[in-house]
Amino acid sequence: MRVQMLGLCRFSYVGLRGYQVEHDTYEQRRAYLYDSQRLARRWAWFTEVALPTWRAQTDPDFTLVVMTGPDLPEPYLSQLRDLTQDIPQLKLELVPPMQQHLAACWQAVAPHVDPSADVIGHFRHDDDDAVAVDYIAATRKDFNRVKALWKSTGRMSLDYSRGLMLELGAGGAKLTPRICHNMGVALTIFLPPDLPETALNYDHSKLPMWMPGVAVTDPLMFIRSIHRDSDSGAMGPGLAWQLKDKQLDRQLQRRFGFSLDGLNALAPKLA
């Protein structure tokens, strides 16, 4: 059974709905998203936290669609185009502002769906989060273990629940280990290739309403960032787990290619 891994990353897309921070008009939304200082911070999160682990995936067979508007200010639009030349898995889609957010997401993803695949592993990825370097490989392996469940329903979620909550401030990086179910990052929604939906069609906090799910609570699989520009600034519910500083640094390096010193050095730029 061939699985296509297909993700969507929204980068400052000027569309209404689909976010917890809402605006009444496109003009208000554009002013908020395209604020020069905010864009500079988002670009730093994207290029220095989100992208390194996508570059380093042990299984390179995936597509990550980066969705933004055709009027994204320079130099960011040109830099996104450059990134798609540098990282072959990245595909840039310029979607005009749309009121129906799910339709906009489908417009971005649809050109990249492989109709010959048996199943599409849809995932969403925020531009300030990170997944472990074996997320794609682990998802394929674990889907194969439980594919009978997907065959019986046609929809299924696979959730990697063990992660780190990252906060950056004047004192550097603070990382809080948490087990959080269906957080949204490192979460895959398996759908048939002919179904015109993406991972965004399903509220990740309510997935059991629509499909069965499998939670994999080990190993460490994601970093979720919490900061002033987050669409949701809350850590949310979860279970605490412990990592000593030396263990944390080893896990950051092994799972993400990061170091605690490196994240501390990013704090002045991203806080």
Side-chain angles (χ1 to χ4, degrees):
M1 178 174 287
R2 194 166 72 82
V3 177
Q4 180 191 15
M5 291 295 293
L6 178 58
L8 176 64
C9 178
R10 300 166 296 174
F11 186 81
S12 295
Y13 171 66
V14 181
L16 302 183
R17 306 180 185 177
Y19 300 91
Q20 294 192 42
V21 178
E22 294 187 346
H23 297 88
D24 294 327
T25 66
Y26 292 123
E27 290 71 24
Q28 292 173 346
R29 187 85 181 145
R30 184 177 286 105
Y32 169 76
L33 292 177
Y34 289 175
D35 173 81
S36 59
Q37 292 184 337
R38 182 188 182 280
L39 268 178
R41 291 192 299 270
R42 297 307 295 207
W43 185 255
W45 279 108
F46 183 52
T47 56
E48 300 193 49
V49 175
L51 280 186
T53 60
W54 289 117
R55 290 180 183 270
Q57 286 297 304
T58 59
D59 180 349
D61 184 13
F62 68 93
T63 297
L64 180 62
V65 178
V66 180
M67 169 186 174
T68 193
D71 62 346
L72 181 71
E74 294 291 357
Y76 303 106
L77 185 55
S78 293
Q79 289 173 344
L80 277 177
R81 288 195 171 102
D82 291 343
L83 280 173
T84 62
Q85 298 300 310
D86 184 43
I87 306 173
Q89 294 88 352
L90 256 57
K91 306 297 180 183
L92 180 61
E93 288 292 338
L94 306 182
V95 181
M98 294 174 63
Q99 192 170 34
Q100 300 299 324
H101 190 71
L102 295 180
C105 291
W106 178 246
Q107 182 171 319
V109 168
H112 305 282
V113 172
D114 181 355
S116 68
D118 298 300
V119 56
I120 311 295
H122 289 276
F123 58 93
R124 59 188 290 173
H125 190 78
D126 288 348
D127 59 13
D128 53 359
D129 293 338
V131 294
V133 297
D134 61 348
Y135 163 66
I136 296 295
T139 300
R140 279 207 167 88
K141 179 188 69 177
D142 289 332
F143 173 80
N144 194 53
R145 292 174 173 175
V146 296
K147 61 186 178 183
L149 181 60
W150 180 81
K151 287 181 178 179
S152 69
T153 60
R155 290 179 176 84
M156 189 190 77
S157 66
L158 179 62
D159 171 43
Y160 291 104
S161 309
R162 187 176 297 261
L164 299 169
M165 302 299 182
L166 171 63
E167 300 172 84
L168 296 180
K174 177 184 176 183
L175 287 150
T176 304
R178 302 275 281 184
I179 295 175
C180 305
H181 295 297
N182 295 337
M183 179 58 60
V185 58
L187 170 68
T188 309
I189 309 296
F190 295 96
L191 300 173
D194 58 350
L195 194 63
E197 297 178 350
T198 75
L200 274 296
N201 282 80
Y202 300 92
D203 182 338
H204 59 85
S205 67
K206 301 176 182 178
L207 276 177
M209 294 177 61
W210 301 293
M211 65 187 71
V214 176
V216 181
T217 57
D218 200 47
L220 172 62
M221 193 62 83
F222 70 83
I223 295 174
R224 179 174 176 252
S225 301
I226 303 172
H227 51 88
R228 59 176 164 170
D229 295 320
S230 298
D231 190 48
S232 174
M235 190 174 297
L239 302 172
W241 60 287
Q242 301 299 318
L243 274 177
K244 295 180 179 179
D245 287 347
K246 288 185 179 180
Q247 293 173 318
L248 176 59
D249 215 27
R250 285 197 298 268
Q251 287 286 296
L252 283 172
Q253 179 61 47
R254 186 169 68 87
R255 303 296 295 148
F256 304 97
F258 296 157
S259 70
L260 193 53
D261 286 345
L263 291 177
N264 284 331
L266 284 177
K269 185 186 298 187
L270 300 180

